[in-house]
Structure formats: C-alpha cells, structure tokens
C-alpha cells in the first residue's frame, strides 16, 4: 500500500518519480563527454524524499557516477539536501524551492582521505511537465566553480 505523502513534502511532489535521459559534461583538462542518466525521487510518508541517481557512458553503458540521499523541506521555499557519492564525498546543501525550480548550494563538503578534492557543488533542477532539466557546477581545490554537467531527463 502506497504511504500518504507527508504534507511538508507536498511542495516537492513535482520531483516524484523516475526520470531518465541524457546529458553532456565538461571538465578542465578533460574531453567533453555525453552520458545517460536516471534519477529517482520517492517518498515513504515521512518529511523527506529519498533520492538516487546513476549515470553511464553513452558509448558503451559503463557505469559513470552514483549518488544517494535525501531532499528535506526546511520551511516555506527552503530545502536541505544530504547526498553521498561513492567517490568518498558527502555533500550537504541548502537552497530554495520556487514553483518547480530547486536551487542548491553546498554548505559543507566532507571527503574521505582518498576522495577527489571537491570543495563546492551547486545544483539547479527545473521541472516543466514531464521534463526535468538540471545543471551542476563544481569546484575543486585548484579549480574554481565551473559548469560540469547538464542534462534533460523525462519522466518514465
């Protein structure tokens, strides 16, 4: 039986579902790349959405990146996000929700001793009907905040 959506999560209901599509990425010193991606937002009746993401190379479907975490409403128009990356990165972000647009900026990035030296992450997610578009900017110890990936996913 499907749990009832918690009232505090209703402003994020536009994210619910499975989204699949393609994107493009760039990074200083590397070749641009094209990739496939799937994001899943689900609820369990509590005051958060569970989030999972996976991406793969467009050329041969090899795994590329994964994220798991939670999107938590933090009051009217506010959101908190906690994500774990398998590269040894934990991201804590806060931001805004305006209509069907989520803007996030990391407030804390913690790293394991072998993690990539990520220092800042910024995300923008915009949903229009059954299309989710997003952009991710990232900074590392020796690289200023720069565009990294953009994608357009469709609800499946």
């Amino acid at each position: 039986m499907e749990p009832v959506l918690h009232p505090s999560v209703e402003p994020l209901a536009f994210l619910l579902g499975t989204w699949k599509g393609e994107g493009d990425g760039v990074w200083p010193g590397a070749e641009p790349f094209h990739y496939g991606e799937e994001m899943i937002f689900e609820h369990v009746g509590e005051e958060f959405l569970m989030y999972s993401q996976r991406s793969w190379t467009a050329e041969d479907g090899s795994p590329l990146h994964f994220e798991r975490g939670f999107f938590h409403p933090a009051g009217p128009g506010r959101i908190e996000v906690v994500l774990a990356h398998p590269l040894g990165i934990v991201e804590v972000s806060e931001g805004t929700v305006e209509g069907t647009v989520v803007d996030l900026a990391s407030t804390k990035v913690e790293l394991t001793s072998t993690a990539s030296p990520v220092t800042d992450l910024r995300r923008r997610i915009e949903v229009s009907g059954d299309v989710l578009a997003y952009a991710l900017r990232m900074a590392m110890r020796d690289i200023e905040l720069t565009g990294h990936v953009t994608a357009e996913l469709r609800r499946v």
Side-chain angles (χ1 to χ4, degrees), residues 23-26 33 35 37 134-137 146-151:
D24 293 295
V26 295
F33 59 96
Y35 65 97
E37 182 165 27
Y134 85 89
L136 173 76
R137 295 181 296 150
T146 187
H148 180 40
V149 293
T150 59

Side-chain angles (χ1 to χ4, degrees), residues 26 34 39 43 46 54 65 69 89 95 144 149-151:
V26 295
H34 188 70
M39 287 184 182
H43 77 94
E46 297 292 330
R54 67 184 186 96
H65 183 72
I89 300 166
E144 291 186 23
V149 293
T150 59

Side-chain angles (χ1 to χ4, degrees), residues 7-47:
S8 70
V9 179
E10 287 177 7
L12 302 177
F14 66 93
L15 293 170
L16 288 170
T18 300
W19 305 84
K20 199 168 187 177
E22 297 179 344
D24 293 295
V26 295
W27 193 248
E31 291 293 317
F33 59 96
H34 188 70
Y35 65 97
E37 182 165 27
E38 178 183 73
M39 287 184 182
I40 300 172
F41 292 89
E42 55 188 320
H43 77 94
V44 293
E46 297 292 330
E47 295 186 59

Side-chain angles (χ1 to χ4, degrees), residues 81-96:
V81 174
V82 177
L83 300 178
H85 305 246
L87 304 170
I89 300 166
V90 176
E91 168 189 352
V92 176
S93 294
E94 295 186 23
T96 60

